[in-house]
Every structure is written in C-alpha cells, then in structure tokens.
Amino acid sequence: MSSPPELRLLGHFRLECDAEPVELCRNGQRLLAFVALRGRVPRTVLAGSLWPEVTEERARGSLRTTLWKLPRGEQPLIRCSGDSLVTADTLHVDVHAFTETALGVVQGCGPPRTAQLPQGLLLAEDLLPGWDEEWVLLERERLRQLRLHALDALAEALVREGRPALALEAAWESVRTEPLRESAHRAAVSAHLAEGNLIEAVRHYRSFQRLLREELGVEPSPRFTRMLARHGWRLPGG
C-alpha cells in the first residue's frame, strides 16, 4: 500500500511520494508551494504571482507547462476545480500541521497533557529559507508571528497548570526568536515567579531592561514592572 505524498516547506523544500524524495524543477517547486499555502488559487492569480514580469498570456503558458511537468501518480498533486487549482486531498503539508498546532494553543486549547512540549512549535524552521518572492516573505512573516504568539500562550498556559520548567522552555524559545519581544520575557519572568524564584525573575527583568535601553532607548512597560511589584519588588527610585 502506497503512503500519501508529503510536502515540506518549513526548512528546505522537499516532496516525498511513497517515502521517496521527488525532484522538481524550480517552477514546479514554486507552483506546488504557492497552491499548498493558499489552498485554492484562481489560475489568473497563480500565473500572475509566479510570473509577474511577463504578459498574462505568457504567464498562463508557463503555468500550463509547469503543471504538465508535475509528477503523475494515482492522483495528481494539483487538480483543477473550476478555474482554480487546489492540492490533492491526500497531500500532507507540514505548514498545515504546524498551523493547526499553533492555532490550537493560541485559541486556548492549551498544551498537551504530556511531559513533552509540542516539537512543531519548538523546532519549527523558517518557511522556504532563501526564497525571496514577495508571497513567500509575507507567508513567512505570518507563520513567524503565529509561532511567537503560540509560544507565549503556551508558556502562560503551562504556568497556570503548575509546570513552570516547561513554561520556561517555551518562553526561552520565543526570546531566542525575537529578543526584543516583551511578552516572551514576561512569560519567562512569570515562570520564575511561579517557582518562587524572585531573584531569577528580577535578574531576567533587569537583563531585558538593559537590552531595551541599549537597542531602543525605552523602558519595559508598566505592566511588566507591576508583575514584580506584586511579589514585593520595587523598581529602584519607584
């Protein structure tokens, strides 16, 4: 029994059919990635997005040629639906799995009741690194922001559930991704406070405060300062 095809877009492009890698030309990769990310794309939009520098007629011709060159198995990777193109129902796309996990955390479903964190959030790579098309850049930033929000929400949920050590792991991953993001640092401080480690919490706050002053010339928000004040610490001079 053949296994369903898999498309990996986080990290370098990789298509597998029956657990074997499939080589595609550059245009084939771009076409499959675009449709996989959008779900359903009108032919005109697809042709204009992938070949914006040529006439509409030539772009549509390039689209037809690229579609013809895609692998043909029991079920095509891309099929027609009216005047639009969609990916095969059987095609597993890693971005979709990542998005489902991240949205589940952001929407309040919380972390899984296991001793492990969702690896899809912790180890997620950038979308198609090295690709500089505008549609890739926009989608890459969307996924980066979604991951950061999910990591922050995950850390907060783990603190509420009494799992501060795991919360710190999630918070630090968010900090490493975007060092100037205050919500990630608040999540880390919240985890320290949940463990009763006020000194660690203050040390982290002061480190972030120095970073903000050096990079942006601003102070942490009053909300951040109040977190520590509620545990008996006062900002010097406050």
Side-chain angles (χ1 to χ4, degrees):
M1 183 178 179
S2 61
S3 57
E6 294 192 10
L7 178 61
R8 302 178 190 176
L9 302 178
L10 297 173
H12 296 292
F13 182 100
R14 183 179 175 88
L15 173 65
E16 292 185 358
C17 293
D18 292 329
E20 293 293 332
V22 177
E23 296 295 329
L24 293 182
C25 65
R26 176 64 172 174
N27 280 339
Q29 292 181 11
R30 294 166 67 238
L31 172 60
L32 190 56
F34 193 102
V35 179
L37 290 171
R38 298 293 180 90
R40 173 186 294 268
V41 189
R43 284 176 177 268
T44 301
V45 172
L46 183 56
S49 298
L50 296 183
W51 293 278
E53 71 284 354
V54 300
T55 64
E56 181 178 344
E57 182 179 356
R58 288 190 60 187
R60 280 182 169 269
S62 296
L63 175 58
R64 287 193 297 270
T65 300
T66 305
L67 281 170
W68 183 81
K69 290 181 178 180
L70 290 179
R72 291 179 175 82
E74 295 180 3
Q75 183 176 354
L77 295 172
I78 294 179
R79 61 181 177 83
C80 297
S81 177
D83 192 44
S84 297
L85 295 175
V86 298
T87 53
D89 295 335
T90 56
L91 181 64
H92 178 271
V93 184
D94 61 352
V95 169
H96 298 168
F98 165 81
T99 301
E100 182 179 353
T101 298
L103 286 176
V105 173
V106 171
Q107 291 169 353
C109 297
R113 299 283 181 172
T114 68
Q116 297 181 340
L117 295 174
Q119 295 301 301
L121 290 182
L122 293 183
L123 304 178
E125 299 178 85
D126 282 341
L127 176 73
L128 298 169
W131 293 31
D132 59 1
E133 290 95 333
E134 185 65 24
W135 57 271
V136 177
L137 299 178
L138 290 173
E139 192 67 16
R140 184 184 297 154
E141 179 60 18
R142 183 189 75 82
L143 292 173
R144 190 182 78 89
Q145 289 294 331
L146 176 59
R147 178 171 180 258
L148 289 171
H149 280 97
L151 286 169
D152 293 348
L154 178 62
E156 294 169 0
L158 287 166
V159 168
R160 292 193 300 269
E161 292 185 3
R163 296 193 279 175
L166 291 180
L168 271 175
E169 285 296 313
W172 270 113
E173 186 59 36
S174 184
V175 169
R176 282 192 288 267
T177 302
E178 182 47 78
L180 293 174
R181 186 181 177 86
E182 182 178 299
S183 57
H185 290 276
R186 288 201 308 265
V189 166
S190 181
H192 285 309
L193 293 174
E195 291 184 307
N197 294 327
L198 179 59
I199 298 302
E200 291 286 349
V202 171
R203 183 181 294 123
H204 190 115
Y205 173 89
R206 285 176 169 165
S207 176
F208 177 61
Q209 184 183 48
R210 287 194 298 271
L211 180 64
L212 278 187
R213 287 174 174 174
E214 293 171 0
E215 295 293 330
L216 301 177
V218 299
E219 294 290 323
S221 69
R223 175 184 176 184
F224 200 173
T225 307
R226 287 195 297 269
M227 284 180 61
L228 294 167
R230 286 194 294 268
H231 287 77
W233 182 77
R234 291 291 186 273
L235 186 68

